[in-house]
Amino acid sequence: MKNLLLFFCFLSFSLSAQNVNLMTFNIRYDTDRDGENKWANRKDHAAQMLTFYDVDICGMQEALIGQIKDLEQRLPNYAYFGKGRDDGQEKGEFSPIFYNTKTLKLLQSDTFWLSETPEKPSKGWDAAFPRVVTWGLFEDLNSKVRFYVFNTHFDHMGQIARKQSAKLLLAKSKEIAKDQVYFLMGDFNSIPSDEPMVLIKNELKNTEEISTSGHFGPESTFSGFESREQKNKKIDHIFCNNKKIIIKKHATLSNTWAGLFASDHHPVMVSVELKK
């Protein structure tokens, strides 16, 4: 009887907690100027980063529609959503979210722009380009745990735009997710001490800082396709609102194939335990 009771206790815990792997990955847009690092030589490896590490959700940046279609072909267990930043359809770079349909169900999704008019394609403040946030509400198929993911790419030139983008992202994510668990991820073009990241960390937790096993891998997330560590290039981050979340692992993944990287950014991945 005692053993049976312990079994049901274990079963109850298993059904109320779920491990999910999340990744943010700037895949570098497709351009022949990259020479040996051009997309044609990287697309297989970019897809393998998701499958080898059992990624449930990957928020990407700089993805053009052709690259998205390439990954879609190579990731049969995944679906994606998102909009081109230039026209809200397929023009320009996307910040798409790929998710594993074998483990997750997408319940809701949308896109907004980081600008004074977030509901339509637009460029904000002093930004060089339009910038978007892609978000989705997911349900784990086993535990039925629900959570939100917001994926973005802050402007690389506009200092005011990055600051205002952080404020807008915080406001919109709280408005959409309300009191539910959520994650913010992306290429923020900001190191932890920069004002946009300080604004976010004042309200959310950087998953690296609360990882129960610390951090694994390089500190810098931008490599520029070089094998040496880059200084002050820790610009890709994953944040959470720390509600019923345990960050079990945090890593910057610097895999290479014959010395070549899958992108000029290293993907950042967290292994998360979610509880009801």
Side-chain angles (χ1 to χ4, degrees):
M1 185 67 180
K2 182 179 179 181
N3 289 338
L4 186 61
L5 180 61
L6 288 173
F7 170 77
F8 281 112
C9 288
F10 173 79
L11 181 62
S12 176
F13 175 80
S14 299
L15 292 174
S16 63
Q18 180 63 33
N19 291 331
V20 178
N21 292 330
L22 297 94
M23 174 183 285
T24 179
F25 190 11
N26 183 324
I27 66 170
R28 171 68 176 175
Y29 69 92
D30 183 6
T31 172
D32 287 337
R33 294 195 303 272
D34 285 341
E36 66 176 354
N37 292 307
K38 63 185 179 181
W39 177 248
N41 296 336
R42 300 188 287 110
K43 55 188 177 183
D44 289 338
H45 306 321
Q48 289 164 4
M49 296 298 289
L50 276 67
T51 55
F52 181 80
Y53 287 103
D54 294 322
V55 174
D56 295 291
I57 292 177
C58 182
M60 298 182 185
Q61 302 85 38
E62 290 196 22
L64 300 174
I65 189 61
Q67 294 175 286
I68 291 173
K69 297 300 183 183
D70 285 340
L71 292 171
E72 189 177 33
Q73 291 176 358
R74 288 161 175 78
L75 297 168
N77 291 335
Y78 290 77
Y80 82 92
F81 58 95
K83 297 177 180 179
R85 69 186 185 186
D86 291 355
D87 63 355
Q89 298 183 48
E90 294 188 347
K91 186 178 179 181
E93 294 178 9
F94 288 60
S95 291
I97 295 178
F98 276 76
Y99 66 98
N100 190 334
T101 59
K102 302 295 184 183
T103 61
L104 298 169
K105 179 180 180 180
L106 179 65
L107 301 177
Q108 190 179 359
S109 66
D110 207 349
T111 297
F112 62 86
W113 276 257
L114 292 171
S115 75
E116 297 91 332
T117 53
E119 71 282 353
K120 63 182 181 180
S122 50
K123 184 172 66 173
W125 306 287
D126 60 346
F129 297 104
R131 300 289 179 172
V132 297
V133 177
T134 305
W135 65 266
L137 171 61
F138 296 92
E139 181 179 86
D140 178 78
L141 293 177
N142 291 322
S143 68
K144 306 304 179 183
V145 171
R146 293 184 177 186
F147 59 97
Y148 286 85
V149 173
F150 296 81
N151 175 50
T152 193
H153 187 185
F154 282 8
D155 198 67
H156 67 303
M157 295 292 292
Q159 187 172 353
I160 296 172
R162 289 193 294 275
K163 177 181 177 180
Q164 295 302 323
S165 292
K167 292 181 178 180
L168 180 61
L169 177 57
L170 286 168
K172 293 285 286 184
S173 60
K174 286 190 291 185
E175 174 190 327
I176 293 166
K178 297 181 173 60
D179 61 347
Q180 293 201 54
V181 168
Y182 67 94
F183 299 87
L184 305 186
M185 62 171 61
D187 174 359
F188 293 89
N189 274 308
S190 305
I191 62 174
S193 59
D194 288 341
E195 187 174 12
M197 296 300 92
V198 173
L199 288 170
I200 293 176
K201 287 194 296 181
N202 283 341
E203 299 194 31
L204 302 174
K205 296 292 186 180
N206 189 320
T207 55
E208 178 179 359
E209 296 176 0
I210 60 173
S211 169
T212 59
S213 60
H215 170 73
F216 175 82
E219 282 298 308
S220 296
T221 61
F222 176 77
S223 71
F225 294 119
E226 296 184 14
S227 58
R228 64 183 179 87
E229 182 91 10
Q230 303 284 328
K231 292 184 178 180
N232 294 322
K233 291 296 182 179
K234 189 176 184 178
I235 59 177
D236 303 86
H237 311 279
I238 301 176
F239 298 92
C240 68
N241 62 341
N242 201 32
K243 294 181 178 179
K244 299 181 180 178
I245 300 172
I246 298 174
I247 306 301
K248 301 176 73 174
K249 294 181 181 180
H250 183 285
T252 301
L253 305 173
S254 56
N255 304 65
T256 61
W257 291 259
L260 299 180
F261 292 100
S263 176
D264 62 344
H265 285 243
H266 301 316
V268 175
M269 192 184 87
V270 293
S271 181
V272 180
E273 182 180 296
L274 297 172
K275 296 182 180 180
K276 283 189 175 181

